[in-house]
Amino acid sequence: MAVRVWSLSTTFDALRNRDFRWLWLGRLASSATFQMSSVAQGWLVYQLTGSAFALGWVSAGWSISTLLLSPYGGVITDRLEKRTLLLWTRIGMALNSVIIGLLISTDLIRIWHLAASSLFTGMLFAFLMPAQQSIISDLVDRETLLNAISLNSLGMGLMGIFCASLAGWLIEIGGPAVVYYVMAAFYMLAIYTIIKLPETGSDGGTSASVWSDLAEGGRYLWANPLLLTLLGMGLIRVLFAMPYRTLLPAFAEDNLGFDSAGLGVLMSAPGLGALVSSLLICSLGDVRYKGKSLLIAGGLLGLSISLFVSTDLLPVVFCFIFLLGFFNNVCMVMTNTLIQARCETGYLGRVMSVYMMLWGLTPLGTLPAGAIADYVGVPPVVIVQGVIVTLLFAAVAFLKPVIWRLD
C-alpha cells in the first residue's frame, strides 16, 4: 500500500491556480470580518442587555433573512455572473460595517441597530454564499476540489485564531467601533480580490421564471436522496452544534469570568482546531472514505460540545473547544466536498443555496437555547445539544450505510 508523503506542494496544491489564489485571499479577508463581527456583536449585545436570549434573537435576523432569500440567491447564482454577485454583496457589507461603527462612535448605537445589521447581513449572505461556494468548482478541477475547499477552511481557521483575539483586544484598547472600521478595511481588500477573478461564463440568458427554476431545483434534489441526506447532516450541525457560539459571551462572562479580551481568546480556540484539521486534510490530497470521516467527526463533535462546558478548568475548556473546532471543520469540509462532487453543474448554485438556507434555521436552535440558558445557565443547555448531535450522527450511520462508502 502506497504511503502519501506530506509536503508543502501537496498541502497547497490548489494555490498553484492563479484564479483560486485571488479567491482564497478574498476568503481570508472575509473570514476575518466574520470572526471579528462574532466577537464585537456578541460583546455589544451582552453589554447592552445582559441577556443570553438577546444574543439569540439579535443573531436571528441574519438567520431569518438567509432562510427566506437563499433559494433566490441560488437561482441568481445559476443565472448570472458569480463575480458580479460577489462584488456587490461585499460592497454592501463594507457599508454596513461603516454605519455600525459610526453609530457606536457617536454613542447612538441601540440594540435594534444591531438586529437590523444582522438582518441586512443575512440578506447579503443569501446571495453571496451560493456564488462563493459554487465558484470554487468553476476555478479548479475535480481532483483539486477537496484541497481547495480545505484551503478555504484553513483560511477560516487562521482568521479564527488571530482575528477573534484581535477583535477582543481592539475592544479593550479603542472600543467596539474600531472593530467595525477594521472590518470595513478587510471588506475593501476582499472587493479588490474579486475584481481580479475571471468571468464564469454565466450570462443570465434563460427565459424561465425564477419560480420555474426554483421548482426545477427542488425536483432535482428530491430525485437525489444522497444529496438530501448530506443536507440533512448539515442541518443537524446548524440546529444543535452551532448555537454554542451564540452563547459563548454569556458562558465566558458568567462561568469563566472573562472580559472582552478573554472572550476573543476563547472564540479563537475553535479556529485553531479548524486550522489544524484543514492542514491535515490539505496534506492528504483527494482522500478516500470521506463519508466515514464525516460520520465519525460528527459523533466526536457532539462529545466535544458537551464536554467543553462541563468544567471551569481553563486548560480543559480550551482543549475541548479546540477539538470542537477540529471536528466541526472536518464535517463542513467533507459535506461541502461531497455535495459539490455529486451535484450537476447546472444545479450547483441552487443546491448550495439550500445548504446555506439551512443556516437560516439557526434560530430554531439559538432562540430556545438562549431562553432556557437565562433560567438554567449555559452549560446544561449546551451539554444536551452536544448529546443530541452525537445521537443523530449515530442514527444516520445506522440508517444510511451508503454514507459510510462515499469517497
Side-chain angles (χ1 to χ4, degrees), residues 43 53 56-57 64 73 111 126 149 154 169 179 190 203 212 230 242 244 257 274 310 320 337 339 346 356 374 377 400:
W43 187 86
F53 181 59
W57 71 257
I64 292 170
I111 191 69
I149 293 174
L154 185 149
W169 288 111
V179 179
D203 59 9
S212 176
L230 292 170
M242 300 314 296
Y244 87 90
S310 299
F320 283 117
T337 302
I339 290 174
M356 287 309 305
D374 277 340
K400 295 287 185 179

Side-chain angles (χ1 to χ4, degrees), residues 65-198:
S65 51
T66 300
L67 173 65
L68 295 177
L69 295 178
S70 283
Y72 300 99
V75 172
I76 297 302
T77 296
D78 284 335
R79 286 182 172 213
L80 301 181
E81 170 58 49
K82 296 182 180 70
R83 187 180 64 174
T84 302
L85 287 175
L86 293 175
L87 180 63
W88 286 107
T89 50
R90 288 303 186 203
I91 290 173
M93 290 175 178
L95 292 174
N96 182 54
S97 296
V98 170
I99 291 171
I100 294 297
L102 290 173
L103 287 170
I104 298 170
S105 296
T106 55
D107 202 27
L108 295 175
I109 192 68
R110 299 293 183 268
I111 191 69
W112 72 266
H113 292 138
L114 297 174
S117 172
S118 178
L119 183 70
F120 180 66
T121 302
M123 294 170 61
L124 295 176
F125 259 83
F127 293 91
L128 165 74
M129 292 308 294
Q132 188 164 260
Q133 294 292 336
S134 61
I135 199 174
I136 299 174
S137 57
D138 290 335
L139 301 180
V140 303
D141 55 38
R142 192 180 187 282
E143 289 71 25
T144 317
L145 183 59
L146 176 61
N147 184 261
I149 293 174
S150 301
L151 282 170
N152 275 337
S153 295
L154 185 149
M156 291 176 63
L158 281 171
M159 295 300 99
I161 295 168
F162 296 112
C163 291
S165 299
L166 173 63
W169 288 111
L170 286 176
I171 292 173
E172 288 293 303
I173 296 170
V178 177
V179 179
Y180 284 94
Y181 295 140
V182 173
M183 286 168 52
F186 275 118
Y187 279 127
M188 295 306 297
L189 174 59
I191 290 168
Y192 177 76
T193 64
I194 292 167
I195 294 173
K196 293 290 186 177
L197 294 178

